[in-house]
Amino acid sequence: MTLLLAFLCQFLSVCITFLVANWLPIFHNSIVFLVMQSGLAMTFSFLLHQRNWWIPIHLLFLPSIFIFSTFAIPAWFYLLLVVIFTLVFWGTIRGDVPLFLSSSGVAEMVISLLKKENAKTFADLGAGVGTVAIPVANCLSEIKVDAWERAPFPWLIGKLRGRFLSNYQTTRGNFFTANFEKYDVVFTFLSPLVMPEISTKIKREMRSGTLFISSSFPVTNWQPENIFYLNDRRKTVLFCYRLP
Ligand SMILES: C[S@@+](CC[C@H](N)C(=O)[O-])C[C@H]1O[C@@H](n2cnc3c(N)ncnc32)[C@H](O)[C@@H]1O
C-alpha cells in the first residue's frame, strides 16, 4: 500500500506536469518541469498522509533520474546506491520503521530517568546508530545496555561506536525475538504501526514496576505515568509507562 501510494504521487504529478507543459512552453525547460513535478509529488504525498520521510524521496525521485540519465554515470554507482540504501533502510519498503535519529536532548532525558530509576539494565529497541544507547552506556557505566537493531548498516555503525564500552552490547536482529524480562527500562522510538504489537509484548514480558519509555508515539489505552515535552528540533514527546 505504501509503495502504491508513492507510485500514485509520482504518476499524478508527472501527468499533470505534462498536461501543463502542453499549454505553457516555459515548462519545456527541464528545470522548470522538474521543479513543478517534484513540488506536485510532495503535495500529493502530504495530502495522501504519507509519512514525512516520503517528502525528500518525492523531491529527489525524478530529478535523480534526470541527472543519472543525462550524465554518463557508471553502472556500478547505481548498484552501490541500491546496496547502501538497502543496508540502511532494510525493511522500510515493507512498511517497517525507517531510520530516524533521536536528539541529544532525548538521550539526556533518558539518562536522567535511568538515574532516577536506579536501573541496572536498559534496552533500546531499534537502536539505529546508537544515538540513545551509546550516550547512556557512556554516562552510566554501571548499567548494562542492550541495543537491538535490524538494519545492517546502522547496526555496524552502532557496534563500532560502542566498541570500547564494556557495558554496551548490540545485537543485529529483530527485537521481537528478544525477552524483555531482564530489562529495568526499555526505550523505543518506532512508529504508531508497531505500537500495538510492541506494547503487548512489553506488557507480557516486562516485570512489574519497570519502566517503558516510548518516544513520540503513545500506547493506545495505556495511562502514562509521566509525559515529557522536550524543547529539541522535533519537539519530542516522551511517554513513560510504569508496568503494573
Ligand atoms: C526511528 S529509528 C530510532 C533509532 C534510535 N533508537 C534513536 O532513537 O535514535 C528506528 C530503528 O528501529 C529499527 N527497527 C525497526 N523495527 C525493528 C525490529 N523489529 N527489530 C530491530 N530493529 C528494528 C529500524 O531499523 C530503525 O533503525
Side-chain angles (χ1 to χ4, degrees):
M1 189 62 183
T2 319
L3 271 187
L4 198 67
L5 281 184
F7 173 78
L8 194 66
C9 296
Q10 285 296 323
F11 180 73
L12 287 177
S13 54
V14 167
C15 290
I16 293 174
T17 314
F18 265 122
L19 277 178
V20 174
N22 249 343
W23 301 103
L24 298 174
I26 189 174
F27 282 92
H28 295 175
N29 177 305
S30 317
I31 305 289
V32 179
F33 186 97
L34 289 172
V35 168
M36 167 134 178
Q37 188 278 336
S38 312
L40 280 176
M42 289 191 294
T43 310
F44 284 127
S45 178
F46 177 75
L47 293 176
L48 291 173
H49 302 291
Q50 283 210 287
R51 300 203 176 283
N52 286 345
W53 47 268
W54 276 101
I55 300 278
I57 296 178
H58 286 299
L59 172 72
L60 296 176
F61 186 69
L62 206 64
S64 309
I65 292 180
F66 175 76
I67 291 170
F68 291 147
S69 55
T70 307
F71 303 102
I73 294 169
W76 59 261
F77 184 76
Y78 297 98
L79 182 64
L80 185 68
L81 281 187
V82 171
V83 171
I84 290 175
F85 279 107
T86 308
L87 291 178
V88 172
F89 291 104
W90 210 236
T92 307
I93 200 123
R94 295 190 307 263
D96 262 13
V97 186
L99 177 66
F100 279 115
L101 302 182
S102 291
S103 65
S104 56
V106 171
E108 281 160 24
M109 181 54 92
V110 171
I111 288 169
S112 83
L113 287 169
L114 284 164
K115 281 182 185 164
K116 221 185 281 172
E117 292 292 311
N118 202 14
K120 297 283 171 277
T121 46
F122 169 74
D124 183 349
L125 308 180
V129 297
T131 326
V132 173
I134 299 270
V136 166
N138 225 338
C139 212
L140 305 172
S141 54
E142 68 282 9
I143 293 188
K144 189 180 172 309
V145 175
D146 277 355
W148 287 85
E149 175 54 52
R150 184 150 67 177
F153 205 45
W155 165 80
L156 183 63
I157 294 176
K159 188 164 178 66
L160 291 175
R161 287 181 71 201
R163 65 194 180 286
F164 298 123
L165 295 166
S166 58
N167 60 332
Y168 170 83
Q169 183 185 329
T170 177
T171 307
R172 199 192 85 67
N174 184 351
F175 54 65
F176 280 105
T177 63
N179 189 334
F180 302 159
E181 200 187 352
K182 60 184 167 188
Y183 300 122
D184 296 332
V185 177
V186 163
F187 170 82
T188 61
F189 176 25
L190 296 167
S191 99
L193 285 181
V194 292
M195 291 318 287
E197 200 180 349
I198 193 71
S199 57
T200 306
K201 187 168 164 64
I202 293 268
K203 196 169 178 182
R204 196 174 53 232
E205 294 179 3
M206 280 188 80
R207 286 169 284 115
S208 167
T210 54
L211 191 70
F212 170 49
I213 309 169
S214 174
S215 173
S216 309
F217 308 111
V219 181
T220 318
N221 296 332
W222 281 25
Q223 188 60 40
E225 179 182 83
N226 273 309
I227 302 179
F228 297 99
Y229 298 88
L230 306 194
N231 195 20
D232 56 4
R233 189 176 47 82
R234 204 180 270 129
K235 301 279 174 249
T236 307
V237 182
L238 294 180
F239 299 89
C240 300
Y241 300 96
R242 179 77 53 197
L243 270 293

